[in-house]
Amino acid sequence: MQTRRTILTAGLVAAAVTLAGPALAQKTVLKAADVHPLGYPTVEAVVQMGKKLEQATNGRLSIQMYPSMQLGGEKEMIEQAQIGALQIARVSVGPVGSVVDDLNVFNMPFVFRDVKHMRAVIDGPIGDELLKKITDNPKTGLIGLAWMDAGARSFYNKVRDIKSVEDLKGLKFRMMGNPIFVDTANALGGNGVAMGMDQVMNALQTGVVDGAENNPPSYDSFGHFPIAKHYTLTEHLIIPEILVFSRKAFDAMSKEDQALILKFGKETQLEQRKLWDARVKVSMDKIKAAGVNVITIADKKPFQDAVKPVWDKYGAKYADLVKRIQDVK
Protein backbone atom coordinates (compact mmCIF):
# COMPACT_ATOMS: atom_id res chain seq x y z
CA MET A 1 0.00 0.00 0.00
CA GLN A 2 2.86 2.35 0.90
CA THR A 3 4.49 1.63 -2.47
CA ARG A 4 1.28 2.45 -4.31
CA ARG A 5 0.89 5.74 -2.43
CA THR A 6 4.49 6.63 -3.23
CA ILE A 7 3.99 5.93 -6.93
CA LEU A 8 0.73 7.87 -6.95
CA THR A 9 2.36 10.88 -5.28
CA ALA A 10 5.22 10.73 -7.74
CA GLY A 11 2.70 10.63 -10.57
CA LEU A 12 0.94 13.75 -9.34
CA VAL A 13 4.22 15.63 -9.00
CA ALA A 14 5.43 14.47 -12.44
CA ALA A 15 2.14 15.41 -14.05
CA ALA A 16 2.20 18.84 -12.44
CA VAL A 17 5.76 19.53 -13.50
CA THR A 18 6.14 17.92 -16.89
CA LEU A 19 2.69 18.73 -18.27
CA ALA A 20 2.69 22.31 -17.02
CA GLY A 21 2.79 23.76 -20.51
CA PRO A 22 3.98 23.28 -24.07
CA ALA A 23 6.60 26.00 -23.69
CA LEU A 24 8.65 23.75 -21.44
CA ALA A 25 10.97 21.60 -23.52
CA GLN A 26 11.85 19.28 -20.67
CA LYS A 27 11.34 15.54 -20.79
CA THR A 28 7.90 14.20 -19.95
CA VAL A 29 7.41 10.69 -18.64
CA LEU A 30 3.86 9.46 -19.17
CA LYS A 31 2.79 6.84 -16.68
CA ALA A 32 0.88 3.82 -18.00
CA ALA A 33 -0.70 0.96 -16.06
CA ASP A 34 -2.18 -2.48 -16.67
CA VAL A 35 -3.28 -5.36 -14.45
CA HIS A 36 -1.36 -7.81 -16.64
CA PRO A 37 2.38 -8.61 -16.43
CA LEU A 38 5.22 -7.56 -18.70
CA GLY A 39 5.10 -9.54 -21.93
CA TYR A 40 1.30 -9.60 -22.05
CA PRO A 41 0.02 -8.23 -25.40
CA THR A 42 -1.78 -5.20 -23.98
CA VAL A 43 1.28 -4.24 -21.94
CA GLU A 44 3.72 -4.72 -24.79
CA ALA A 45 1.57 -2.68 -27.19
CA VAL A 46 1.78 0.32 -24.87
CA VAL A 47 5.53 -0.21 -24.41
CA GLN A 48 5.85 -0.04 -28.21
CA MET A 49 3.76 3.12 -28.23
CA GLY A 50 6.25 4.64 -25.80
CA LYS A 51 9.15 3.82 -28.11
CA LYS A 52 7.37 5.56 -30.98
CA LEU A 53 6.79 8.65 -28.86
CA GLU A 54 10.45 8.75 -27.84
CA GLN A 55 11.59 8.50 -31.44
CA ALA A 56 9.12 11.09 -32.72
CA THR A 57 10.03 13.64 -30.02
CA ASN A 58 13.77 12.93 -29.72
CA GLY A 59 13.23 11.56 -26.25
CA ARG A 60 11.12 14.44 -24.96
CA LEU A 61 8.06 12.18 -24.46
CA SER A 62 8.31 8.65 -23.12
CA ILE A 63 6.14 6.09 -21.32
CA GLN A 64 6.88 4.33 -18.03
CA MET A 65 4.81 1.15 -17.71
CA TYR A 66 3.51 -0.10 -14.35
CA PRO A 67 2.24 -3.65 -15.03
CA SER A 68 0.89 -6.39 -12.76
CA MET A 69 -1.54 -4.20 -10.77
CA GLN A 70 1.30 -2.10 -9.32
CA LEU A 71 -1.07 0.87 -9.27
CA GLY A 72 -4.11 -1.12 -8.22
CA GLY A 73 -6.97 -2.61 -10.17
CA GLU A 74 -8.81 -1.01 -13.05
CA LYS A 75 -11.06 1.05 -10.79
CA GLU A 76 -8.03 2.61 -9.11
CA MET A 77 -6.32 3.14 -12.46
CA ILE A 78 -9.29 5.06 -13.82
CA GLU A 79 -9.49 7.21 -10.70
CA GLN A 80 -5.81 8.08 -11.01
CA ALA A 81 -6.21 8.90 -14.70
CA GLN A 82 -9.12 11.18 -13.94
CA ILE A 83 -6.98 13.33 -11.63
CA GLY A 84 -3.96 13.23 -13.96
CA ALA A 85 -1.69 11.13 -11.73
CA LEU A 86 -1.72 8.41 -14.37
CA GLN A 87 -1.80 9.21 -18.06
CA ILE A 88 -2.48 5.89 -19.83
CA ALA A 89 -4.54 2.90 -18.74
CA ARG A 90 -5.77 -0.29 -20.34
CA VAL A 91 -9.17 -1.00 -18.88
CA SER A 92 -12.18 -3.24 -19.39
CA VAL A 93 -15.51 -2.07 -20.76
CA GLY A 94 -17.22 -2.46 -17.38
CA PRO A 95 -15.72 0.44 -15.41
CA VAL A 96 -16.24 2.94 -18.26
CA GLY A 97 -19.60 1.43 -19.20
CA SER A 98 -21.03 2.74 -15.92
CA VAL A 99 -20.79 6.22 -17.47
CA VAL A 100 -21.10 5.48 -21.21
CA ASP A 101 -23.91 2.93 -21.16
CA ASP A 102 -23.74 1.97 -24.86
CA LEU A 103 -20.37 0.33 -24.17
CA ASN A 104 -22.17 -2.31 -22.15
CA VAL A 105 -23.59 -3.85 -25.31
CA PHE A 106 -20.22 -5.57 -25.67
CA ASN A 107 -20.85 -7.30 -22.32
CA MET A 108 -23.84 -9.22 -23.66
CA PRO A 109 -23.31 -12.97 -24.17
CA PHE A 110 -22.86 -14.07 -27.79
CA VAL A 111 -23.37 -10.51 -29.11
CA PHE A 112 -20.58 -11.32 -31.58
CA ARG A 113 -20.62 -14.35 -33.85
CA ASP A 114 -16.90 -14.90 -33.30
CA VAL A 115 -13.65 -12.99 -32.76
CA LYS A 116 -13.44 -12.07 -36.46
CA HIS A 117 -16.87 -10.42 -36.22
CA MET A 118 -15.86 -8.50 -33.08
CA ARG A 119 -12.78 -7.16 -34.83
CA ALA A 120 -14.81 -5.99 -37.82
CA VAL A 121 -17.09 -4.09 -35.43
CA ILE A 122 -14.40 -2.31 -33.39
CA ASP A 123 -12.37 -1.50 -36.52
CA GLY A 124 -15.38 0.14 -38.17
CA PRO A 125 -17.76 3.05 -37.53
CA ILE A 126 -19.32 1.51 -34.42
CA GLY A 127 -15.96 1.16 -32.72
CA ASP A 128 -15.00 4.74 -33.58
CA GLU A 129 -18.35 6.08 -32.37
CA LEU A 130 -18.08 4.37 -29.00
CA LEU A 131 -14.52 5.61 -28.44
CA LYS A 132 -15.73 9.12 -29.28
CA LYS A 133 -18.51 8.79 -26.71
CA ILE A 134 -15.84 8.17 -24.07
CA THR A 135 -13.91 11.24 -25.19
CA ASP A 136 -16.94 13.52 -25.56
CA ASN A 137 -18.50 12.67 -22.20
CA PRO A 138 -16.95 14.98 -19.57
CA LYS A 139 -17.97 12.60 -16.79
CA THR A 140 -15.43 10.00 -17.90
CA GLY A 141 -12.42 12.28 -17.54
CA LEU A 142 -10.82 10.13 -20.24
CA ILE A 143 -9.83 10.15 -23.91
CA GLY A 144 -10.69 6.96 -25.79
CA LEU A 145 -7.56 6.05 -27.76
CA ALA A 146 -8.09 2.54 -29.10
CA TRP A 147 -9.66 -0.87 -28.65
CA MET A 148 -7.56 -3.76 -27.37
CA ASP A 149 -8.27 -7.35 -28.31
CA ALA A 150 -9.06 -9.65 -25.40
CA GLY A 151 -10.19 -12.62 -27.45
CA ALA A 152 -13.03 -14.91 -26.44
CA ARG A 153 -13.79 -16.01 -22.90
CA SER A 154 -14.55 -19.66 -22.20
CA PHE A 155 -15.29 -21.77 -19.12
CA TYR A 156 -12.68 -23.84 -17.29
CA ASN A 157 -13.11 -25.94 -14.16
CA LYS A 158 -11.52 -28.63 -12.02
CA VAL A 159 -14.49 -31.02 -11.83
CA ARG A 160 -15.46 -32.33 -15.27
CA ASP A 161 -15.50 -31.83 -19.02
CA ILE A 162 -18.21 -29.49 -20.27
CA LYS A 163 -19.59 -30.69 -23.58
CA SER A 164 -23.16 -29.44 -23.25
CA VAL A 165 -25.22 -26.89 -21.33
CA GLU A 166 -26.27 -29.68 -18.96
CA ASP A 167 -22.65 -30.20 -17.92
CA LEU A 168 -22.53 -26.67 -16.46
CA LYS A 169 -25.27 -27.37 -13.95
CA GLY A 170 -24.30 -27.05 -10.31
CA LEU A 171 -20.75 -25.80 -10.96
CA LYS A 172 -19.62 -22.59 -9.25
CA PHE A 173 -17.83 -20.20 -11.59
CA ARG A 174 -15.98 -17.02 -10.80
CA MET A 175 -17.37 -14.23 -12.97
CA MET A 176 -16.35 -10.60 -13.33
CA GLY A 177 -18.28 -8.32 -11.00
CA ASN A 178 -21.06 -7.33 -13.37
CA PRO A 179 -24.66 -8.58 -13.01
CA ILE A 180 -24.76 -9.43 -16.73
CA PHE A 181 -21.88 -11.87 -16.33
CA VAL A 182 -23.22 -13.48 -13.17
CA ASP A 183 -26.66 -13.83 -14.76
CA THR A 184 -25.04 -15.39 -17.85
CA ALA A 185 -23.45 -18.15 -15.76
CA ASN A 186 -26.72 -18.70 -13.91
CA ALA A 187 -28.75 -18.85 -17.13
CA LEU A 188 -26.43 -21.59 -18.38
CA GLY A 189 -27.15 -23.63 -15.27
CA GLY A 190 -24.04 -22.79 -13.31
CA ASN A 191 -23.67 -20.67 -10.19
CA GLY A 192 -22.01 -17.34 -10.96
CA VAL A 193 -19.84 -15.91 -8.17
CA ALA A 194 -18.65 -12.29 -8.55
CA MET A 195 -15.02 -12.07 -7.51
CA GLY A 196 -11.86 -10.10 -8.22
CA MET A 197 -9.20 -11.79 -10.32
CA ASP A 198 -6.72 -11.55 -7.46
CA GLN A 199 -8.94 -13.89 -5.40
CA VAL A 200 -9.49 -16.62 -8.00
CA MET A 201 -6.45 -18.80 -7.35
CA ASN A 202 -7.21 -19.18 -3.66
CA ALA A 203 -10.91 -19.72 -4.42
CA LEU A 204 -10.03 -22.55 -6.81
CA GLN A 205 -7.67 -24.16 -4.34
CA THR A 206 -10.12 -24.00 -1.43
CA GLY A 207 -13.22 -24.98 -3.39
CA VAL A 208 -15.03 -21.66 -3.05
CA VAL A 209 -15.42 -21.94 -6.83
CA ASP A 210 -15.10 -24.92 -9.15
CA GLY A 211 -13.85 -22.85 -12.06
CA ALA A 212 -13.84 -19.54 -13.87
CA GLU A 213 -13.91 -18.24 -17.43
CA ASN A 214 -11.37 -16.32 -19.44
CA ASN A 215 -9.37 -16.14 -22.63
CA PRO A 216 -6.41 -18.52 -23.18
CA PRO A 217 -3.62 -16.01 -22.36
CA SER A 218 -5.25 -15.10 -19.03
CA TYR A 219 -6.01 -18.74 -18.19
CA ASP A 220 -2.31 -19.32 -18.80
CA SER A 221 -0.71 -16.21 -17.29
CA PHE A 222 -2.72 -16.32 -14.05
CA GLY A 223 -1.67 -19.96 -13.59
CA HIS A 224 -5.13 -21.50 -13.27
CA PHE A 225 -4.64 -24.32 -15.79
CA PRO A 226 -2.68 -26.69 -13.52
CA ILE A 227 -5.66 -26.74 -11.13
CA ALA A 228 -8.62 -26.43 -13.50
CA LYS A 229 -7.75 -28.77 -16.36
CA HIS A 230 -11.12 -28.83 -18.16
CA TYR A 231 -11.29 -25.96 -20.69
CA THR A 232 -14.33 -25.72 -22.97
CA LEU A 233 -14.31 -23.19 -25.79
CA THR A 234 -17.81 -21.84 -25.25
CA GLU A 235 -16.67 -18.34 -26.30
CA HIS A 236 -19.78 -16.98 -24.58
CA LEU A 237 -18.25 -13.55 -24.04
CA ILE A 238 -16.08 -11.67 -26.52
CA ILE A 239 -15.33 -8.34 -24.87
CA PRO A 240 -12.82 -5.90 -26.34
CA GLU A 241 -10.89 -3.72 -23.90
CA ILE A 242 -10.06 -0.02 -24.08
CA LEU A 243 -6.88 2.05 -24.06
CA VAL A 244 -7.61 5.42 -22.46
CA PHE A 245 -5.67 8.60 -21.76
CA SER A 246 -6.20 11.05 -18.92
CA ARG A 247 -8.34 14.00 -20.08
CA LYS A 248 -6.67 16.28 -17.53
CA ALA A 249 -3.19 15.37 -18.74
CA PHE A 250 -4.25 15.53 -22.41
CA ASP A 251 -5.66 19.06 -22.07
CA ALA A 252 -2.36 20.24 -20.60
CA MET A 253 -0.39 19.09 -23.65
CA SER A 254 0.40 21.01 -26.82
CA LYS A 255 -1.72 20.38 -29.92
CA GLU A 256 1.27 18.69 -31.53
CA ASP A 257 1.75 16.30 -28.63
CA GLN A 258 -1.97 15.59 -28.49
CA ALA A 259 -1.87 14.63 -32.17
CA LEU A 260 0.99 12.21 -31.51
CA ILE A 261 -0.87 10.60 -28.61
CA LEU A 262 -3.99 10.12 -30.74
CA LYS A 263 -2.03 8.80 -33.72
CA PHE A 264 0.19 6.33 -31.88
CA GLY A 265 -2.63 5.36 -29.55
CA LYS A 266 -4.84 4.38 -32.45
CA GLU A 267 -2.03 2.44 -34.09
CA THR A 268 -1.84 0.18 -31.03
CA GLN A 269 -5.22 -1.29 -32.02
CA LEU A 270 -3.79 -3.40 -34.83
CA GLU A 271 -0.31 -3.77 -33.34
CA GLN A 272 -1.70 -5.28 -30.14
CA ARG A 273 -3.80 -7.66 -32.21
CA LYS A 274 -0.73 -9.20 -33.82
CA LEU A 275 0.79 -9.67 -30.38
CA TRP A 276 -2.49 -11.13 -29.16
CA ASP A 277 -2.79 -13.73 -31.90
CA ALA A 278 0.77 -14.89 -31.31
CA ARG A 279 0.17 -15.10 -27.55
CA VAL A 280 -3.05 -17.09 -27.96
CA LYS A 281 -1.16 -19.74 -29.94
CA VAL A 282 1.61 -19.92 -27.35
CA SER A 283 -0.91 -20.22 -24.51
CA MET A 284 -2.98 -22.90 -26.22
CA ASP A 285 0.13 -24.94 -26.99
CA LYS A 286 1.26 -24.58 -23.38
CA ILE A 287 -1.99 -25.65 -21.75
CA LYS A 288 -2.43 -28.60 -24.10
CA ALA A 289 1.11 -29.75 -23.35
CA ALA A 290 0.26 -29.53 -19.63
CA GLY A 291 -2.57 -32.03 -20.09
CA VAL A 292 -5.52 -29.67 -20.16
CA ASN A 293 -8.52 -31.19 -21.93
CA VAL A 294 -9.50 -28.50 -24.47
CA ILE A 295 -13.01 -29.07 -25.79
CA THR A 296 -14.43 -27.36 -28.87
CA ILE A 297 -18.17 -26.77 -29.08
CA ALA A 298 -19.25 -27.34 -32.67
CA ASP A 299 -22.85 -26.21 -32.17
CA LYS A 300 -23.21 -23.24 -29.81
CA LYS A 301 -26.92 -22.77 -30.41
CA PRO A 302 -27.99 -24.56 -27.20
CA PHE A 303 -25.70 -22.22 -25.23
CA GLN A 304 -27.03 -19.18 -27.10
CA ASP A 305 -30.62 -20.27 -26.48
CA ALA A 306 -29.93 -20.75 -22.78
CA VAL A 307 -28.88 -17.11 -22.25
CA LYS A 308 -32.13 -15.71 -23.68
CA PRO A 309 -33.23 -14.59 -20.17
CA VAL A 310 -30.12 -12.39 -20.00
CA TRP A 311 -31.06 -10.75 -23.30
CA ASP A 312 -34.65 -10.35 -22.13
CA LYS A 313 -33.45 -8.61 -18.97
CA TYR A 314 -30.67 -6.37 -20.33
CA GLY A 315 -30.81 -6.32 -24.11
CA ALA A 316 -33.87 -4.26 -25.03
CA LYS A 317 -32.23 -0.85 -24.63
CA TYR A 318 -29.40 -1.87 -26.95
CA ALA A 319 -31.70 -3.21 -29.70
CA ASP A 320 -30.76 -0.65 -32.37
CA LEU A 321 -27.04 -0.96 -31.65
CA VAL A 322 -27.24 -4.76 -31.59
CA LYS A 323 -28.87 -4.75 -35.01
CA ARG A 324 -26.05 -2.61 -36.38
CA ILE A 325 -23.50 -4.98 -34.83
CA GLN A 326 -25.22 -8.02 -36.29
CA ASP A 327 -25.31 -6.38 -39.72
CA VAL A 328 -21.52 -6.04 -39.77
CA LYS A 329 -20.02 -8.70 -42.01
Side-chain angles (χ1 to χ4, degrees), residues 84-117:
L86 173 68
Q87 286 74 52
I88 303 168
R90 195 284 311 152
V91 298
S92 303
V93 166
V96 189
S98 63
V99 179
V100 182
D101 185 59
D102 278 352
L103 292 173
N104 289 311
V105 72
F106 290 163
N107 290 329
M108 297 298 292
F110 299 107
V111 69
F112 299 111
R113 294 185 293 274
D114 50 32
V115 170
K116 181 180 177 182
H117 179 214

Short mmCIF file of all heavy atoms in Angstrom, two decimals, residues 84-117:
data_model
loop_
_atom_site.label_atom_id
_atom_site.label_comp_id
_atom_site.label_asym_id
_atom_site.label_seq_id
_atom_site.Cartn_x
_atom_site.Cartn_y
_atom_site.Cartn_z
N GLY A 84 -5.21 12.92 -13.26
CA GLY A 84 -3.96 13.23 -13.96
C GLY A 84 -2.72 12.62 -13.36
O GLY A 84 -1.61 12.89 -13.81
N ALA A 85 -2.86 11.77 -12.32
CA ALA A 85 -1.69 11.13 -11.73
C ALA A 85 -1.18 9.99 -12.60
O ALA A 85 -0.02 9.60 -12.51
CB ALA A 85 -2.04 10.60 -10.34
N LEU A 86 -2.05 9.46 -13.41
CA LEU A 86 -1.72 8.41 -14.37
C LEU A 86 -2.22 8.88 -15.73
O LEU A 86 -3.32 9.43 -15.82
CB LEU A 86 -2.44 7.12 -13.95
CG LEU A 86 -2.36 5.92 -14.90
CD1 LEU A 86 -0.93 5.38 -14.95
CD2 LEU A 86 -3.32 4.82 -14.43
N GLN A 87 -1.41 8.69 -16.75
CA GLN A 87 -1.80 9.21 -18.06
C GLN A 87 -2.46 8.16 -18.95
O GLN A 87 -3.40 8.48 -19.69
CB GLN A 87 -0.58 9.80 -18.78
CG GLN A 87 -0.12 11.14 -18.24
CD GLN A 87 0.59 11.03 -16.91
OE1 GLN A 87 1.53 10.26 -16.75
NE2 GLN A 87 0.12 11.77 -15.93
N ILE A 88 -1.99 6.92 -18.91
CA ILE A 88 -2.48 5.89 -19.83
C ILE A 88 -2.91 4.65 -19.04
O ILE A 88 -2.19 4.20 -18.15
CB ILE A 88 -1.38 5.49 -20.84
CG1 ILE A 88 -0.89 6.73 -21.62
CG2 ILE A 88 -1.88 4.43 -21.82
CD1 ILE A 88 0.38 6.48 -22.42
N ALA A 89 -4.06 4.11 -19.40
CA ALA A 89 -4.54 2.90 -18.74
C ALA A 89 -5.24 2.00 -19.73
O ALA A 89 -5.93 2.46 -20.63
CB ALA A 89 -5.49 3.24 -17.59
N ARG A 90 -5.03 0.70 -19.56
CA ARG A 90 -5.77 -0.29 -20.34
C ARG A 90 -6.83 -0.85 -19.42
O ARG A 90 -6.53 -1.44 -18.40
CB ARG A 90 -4.80 -1.38 -20.83
CG ARG A 90 -5.36 -2.28 -21.94
CD ARG A 90 -6.34 -3.31 -21.45
NE ARG A 90 -5.85 -4.03 -20.29
CZ ARG A 90 -6.63 -4.57 -19.37
NH1 ARG A 90 -7.94 -4.49 -19.44
NH2 ARG A 90 -6.09 -5.20 -18.32
N VAL A 91 -8.09 -0.62 -19.78
CA VAL A 91 -9.17 -1.00 -18.88
C VAL A 91 -10.23 -1.82 -19.61
O VAL A 91 -10.30 -1.83 -20.83
CB VAL A 91 -9.83 0.24 -18.23
CG1 VAL A 91 -8.82 1.00 -17.39
CG2 VAL A 91 -10.44 1.15 -19.29
N SER A 92 -11.07 -2.48 -18.84
CA SER A 92 -12.18 -3.24 -19.39
C SER A 92 -13.36 -2.32 -19.68
O SER A 92 -13.41 -1.18 -19.22
CB SER A 92 -12.62 -4.33 -18.41
OG SER A 92 -11.54 -5.18 -18.10
N VAL A 93 -14.32 -2.84 -20.43
CA VAL A 93 -15.51 -2.07 -20.76
C VAL A 93 -16.29 -1.70 -19.50
O VAL A 93 -16.81 -0.59 -19.38
CB VAL A 93 -16.41 -2.86 -21.73
CG1 VAL A 93 -17.80 -2.24 -21.81
CG2 VAL A 93 -15.79 -2.92 -23.12
N GLY A 94 -16.36 -2.63 -18.55
CA GLY A 94 -17.22 -2.46 -17.38
C GLY A 94 -17.08 -1.15 -16.64
O GLY A 94 -18.07 -0.43 -16.46
N PRO A 95 -15.86 -0.78 -16.19
CA PRO A 95 -15.72 0.44 -15.41
C PRO A 95 -16.13 1.71 -16.17
O PRO A 95 -16.66 2.63 -15.57
CB PRO A 95 -14.22 0.47 -15.07
CG PRO A 95 -13.78 -0.94 -15.16
CD PRO A 95 -14.59 -1.53 -16.26
N VAL A 96 -15.87 1.76 -17.47
CA VAL A 96 -16.24 2.94 -18.26
C VAL A 96 -17.71 2.86 -18.68
O VAL A 96 -18.39 3.87 -18.83
CB VAL A 96 -15.34 3.07 -19.51
CG1 VAL A 96 -15.58 4.41 -20.20
CG2 VAL A 96 -13.87 2.94 -19.13
N GLY A 97 -18.21 1.63 -18.81
CA GLY A 97 -19.60 1.43 -19.20
C GLY A 97 -20.58 1.97 -18.17
O GLY A 97 -21.75 2.22 -18.50
N SER A 98 -20.13 2.16 -16.93
CA SER A 98 -21.03 2.74 -15.92
C SER A 98 -21.36 4.19 -16.23
O SER A 98 -22.34 4.72 -15.72
CB SER A 98 -20.39 2.63 -14.53
OG SER A 98 -19.19 3.39 -14.47
N VAL A 99 -20.54 4.82 -17.07
CA VAL A 99 -20.79 6.22 -17.47
C VAL A 99 -21.31 6.28 -18.90
O VAL A 99 -22.25 7.01 -19.20
CB VAL A 99 -19.51 7.06 -17.32
CG1 VAL A 99 -19.77 8.51 -17.75
CG2 VAL A 99 -19.00 7.02 -15.90
N VAL A 100 -20.68 5.53 -19.81
CA VAL A 100 -21.10 5.48 -21.21
C VAL A 100 -21.83 4.16 -21.42
O VAL A 100 -21.23 3.14 -21.75
CB VAL A 100 -19.89 5.60 -22.16
CG1 VAL A 100 -20.35 5.60 -23.62
CG2 VAL A 100 -19.10 6.87 -21.85
N ASP A 101 -23.13 4.17 -21.23
CA ASP A 101 -23.91 2.93 -21.16
C ASP A 101 -23.83 2.10 -22.44
O ASP A 101 -23.86 0.87 -22.38
CB ASP A 101 -25.36 3.25 -20.83
CG ASP A 101 -26.18 1.99 -20.62
OD1 ASP A 101 -25.84 1.21 -19.72
OD2 ASP A 101 -27.15 1.76 -21.37
N ASP A 102 -23.76 2.74 -23.60
CA ASP A 102 -23.74 1.97 -24.86
C ASP A 102 -22.59 0.98 -24.92
O ASP A 102 -22.66 -0.03 -25.62
CB ASP A 102 -23.67 2.92 -26.06
CG ASP A 102 -25.03 3.49 -26.44
OD1 ASP A 102 -26.05 3.02 -25.87
OD2 ASP A 102 -25.09 4.40 -27.28
N LEU A 103 -21.51 1.25 -24.18
CA LEU A 103 -20.37 0.33 -24.17
C LEU A 103 -20.77 -1.04 -23.65
O LEU A 103 -20.18 -2.06 -24.01
CB LEU A 103 -19.23 0.89 -23.31
CG LEU A 103 -18.51 2.15 -23.80
CD1 LEU A 103 -17.55 2.64 -22.73
CD2 LEU A 103 -17.76 1.87 -25.09
N ASN A 104 -21.77 -1.06 -22.79
CA ASN A 104 -22.17 -2.31 -22.15
C ASN A 104 -22.76 -3.32 -23.12
O ASN A 104 -22.92 -4.50 -22.76
CB ASN A 104 -23.16 -2.03 -21.02
CG ASN A 104 -22.50 -1.36 -19.84
OD1 ASN A 104 -21.47 -1.80 -19.37
ND2 ASN A 104 -23.09 -0.27 -19.36
N VAL A 105 -23.09 -2.89 -24.33
CA VAL A 105 -23.59 -3.85 -25.31
C VAL A 105 -22.56 -4.93 -25.58
O VAL A 105 -22.91 -6.08 -25.87
CB VAL A 105 -24.00 -3.13 -26.62
CG1 VAL A 105 -22.76 -2.67 -27.40
CG2 VAL A 105 -24.86 -4.05 -27.50
N PHE A 106 -21.28 -4.59 -25.45
CA PHE A 106 -20.22 -5.57 -25.67
C PHE A 106 -20.15 -6.61 -24.55
O PHE A 106 -19.47 -7.63 -24.68
CB PHE A 106 -18.86 -4.88 -25.79
CG PHE A 106 -18.68 -4.09 -27.06
CD1 PHE A 106 -17.68 -3.14 -27.17
CD2 PHE A 106 -19.51 -4.28 -28.16
CE1 PHE A 106 -17.50 -2.41 -28.34
CE2 PHE A 106 -19.34 -3.56 -29.34
CZ PHE A 106 -18.33 -2.62 -29.42
N ASN A 107 -20.83 -6.35 -23.43
CA ASN A 107 -20.85 -7.30 -22.32
C ASN A 107 -21.90 -8.39 -22.49
O ASN A 107 -21.94 -9.33 -21.69
CB ASN A 107 -21.11 -6.57 -21.00
CG ASN A 107 -19.95 -5.71 -20.56
OD1 ASN A 107 -18.80 -6.03 -20.84
ND2 ASN A 107 -20.24 -4.62 -19.87
N MET A 108 -22.76 -8.25 -23.48
CA MET A 108 -23.84 -9.22 -23.66
C MET A 108 -23.30 -10.55 -24.20
O MET A 108 -22.43 -10.56 -25.08
CB MET A 108 -24.90 -8.65 -24.60
CG MET A 108 -25.59 -7.40 -24.09
SD MET A 108 -26.51 -7.67 -22.55
CE MET A 108 -27.82 -8.75 -23.14
N PRO A 109 -23.81 -11.67 -23.70
CA PRO A 109 -23.31 -12.97 -24.17
C PRO A 109 -23.67 -13.22 -25.63
O PRO A 109 -24.78 -12.93 -26.07
CB PRO A 109 -24.03 -13.97 -23.26
CG PRO A 109 -25.26 -13.25 -22.79
CD PRO A 109 -24.86 -11.81 -22.67
N PHE A 110 -22.69 -13.70 -26.38
CA PHE A 110 -22.86 -14.07 -27.79
C PHE A 110 -23.32 -12.89 -28.66
O PHE A 110 -23.97 -13.10 -29.69
CB PHE A 110 -23.83 -15.24 -27.94
CG PHE A 110 -23.38 -16.50 -27.25
CD1 PHE A 110 -24.00 -16.94 -26.09
CD2 PHE A 110 -22.32 -17.26 -27.75
CE1 PHE A 110 -23.59 -18.11 -25.45
CE2 PHE A 110 -21.89 -18.42 -27.12
CZ PHE A 110 -22.53 -18.84 -25.97
N VAL A 111 -22.99 -11.65 -28.27
CA VAL A 111 -23.37 -10.51 -29.11
C VAL A 111 -22.57 -10.53 -30.42
O VAL A 111 -23.03 -10.03 -31.45
CB VAL A 111 -23.16 -9.17 -28.36
CG1 VAL A 111 -21.68 -8.86 -28.13
CG2 VAL A 111 -23.85 -8.02 -29.11
N PHE A 112 -21.39 -11.15 -30.37
CA PHE A 112 -20.58 -11.32 -31.58
C PHE A 112 -20.63 -12.77 -32.03
O PHE A 112 -20.67 -13.68 -31.20
CB PHE A 112 -19.12 -10.93 -31.33
CG PHE A 112 -18.92 -9.49 -30.93
CD1 PHE A 112 -18.51 -9.15 -29.65
CD2 PHE A 112 -19.16 -8.47 -31.84
CE1 PHE A 112 -18.33 -7.83 -29.29
CE2 PHE A 112 -18.98 -7.14 -31.49
CZ PHE A 112 -18.58 -6.82 -30.21
N ARG A 113 -20.61 -12.99 -33.32
CA ARG A 113 -20.62 -14.35 -33.85
C ARG A 113 -19.33 -15.08 -33.51
O ARG A 113 -19.31 -16.27 -33.22
CB ARG A 113 -20.82 -14.32 -35.37
CG ARG A 113 -22.20 -13.80 -35.80
CD ARG A 113 -22.39 -13.90 -37.30
NE ARG A 113 -21.52 -13.00 -38.05
CZ ARG A 113 -21.84 -11.73 -38.32
NH1 ARG A 113 -22.98 -11.22 -37.89
NH2 ARG A 113 -21.02 -10.97 -39.02
N ASP A 114 -18.22 -14.35 -33.58
CA ASP A 114 -16.90 -14.90 -33.30
C ASP A 114 -15.93 -13.74 -33.16
O ASP A 114 -16.32 -12.56 -33.28
CB ASP A 114 -16.46 -15.89 -34.39
CG ASP A 114 -16.63 -15.31 -35.80
OD1 ASP A 114 -16.49 -14.08 -35.98
OD2 ASP A 114 -16.89 -16.10 -36.73
N VAL A 115 -14.66 -14.03 -32.94
CA VAL A 115 -13.65 -12.99 -32.76
C VAL A 115 -13.49 -12.16 -34.04
O VAL A 115 -13.33 -10.93 -33.97
CB VAL A 115 -12.30 -13.60 -32.34
CG1 VAL A 115 -11.19 -12.56 -32.38
CG2 VAL A 115 -12.41 -14.20 -30.94
N LYS A 116 -13.56 -12.80 -35.19
CA LYS A 116 -13.44 -12.07 -36.46
C LYS A 116 -14.54 -11.02 -36.58
O LYS A 116 -14.28 -9.88 -37.02
CB LYS A 116 -13.52 -13.06 -37.63
CG LYS A 116 -13.38 -12.40 -38.99
CD LYS A 116 -13.48 -13.43 -40.11
CE LYS A 116 -13.40 -12.76 -41.48
NZ LYS A 116 -13.54 -13.77 -42.57
N HIS A 117 -15.74 -11.36 -36.18
CA HIS A 117 -16.87 -10.42 -36.22
C HIS A 117 -16.61 -9.26 -35.26
O HIS A 117 -16.84 -8.09 -35.61
CB HIS A 117 -18.15 -11.16 -35.85
CG HIS A 117 -19.36 -10.28 -35.83
ND1 HIS A 117 -20.39 -10.48 -34.93
CD2 HIS A 117 -19.72 -9.20 -36.57
CE1 HIS A 117 -21.33 -9.57 -35.14
NE2 HIS A 117 -20.95 -8.78 -36.12
#
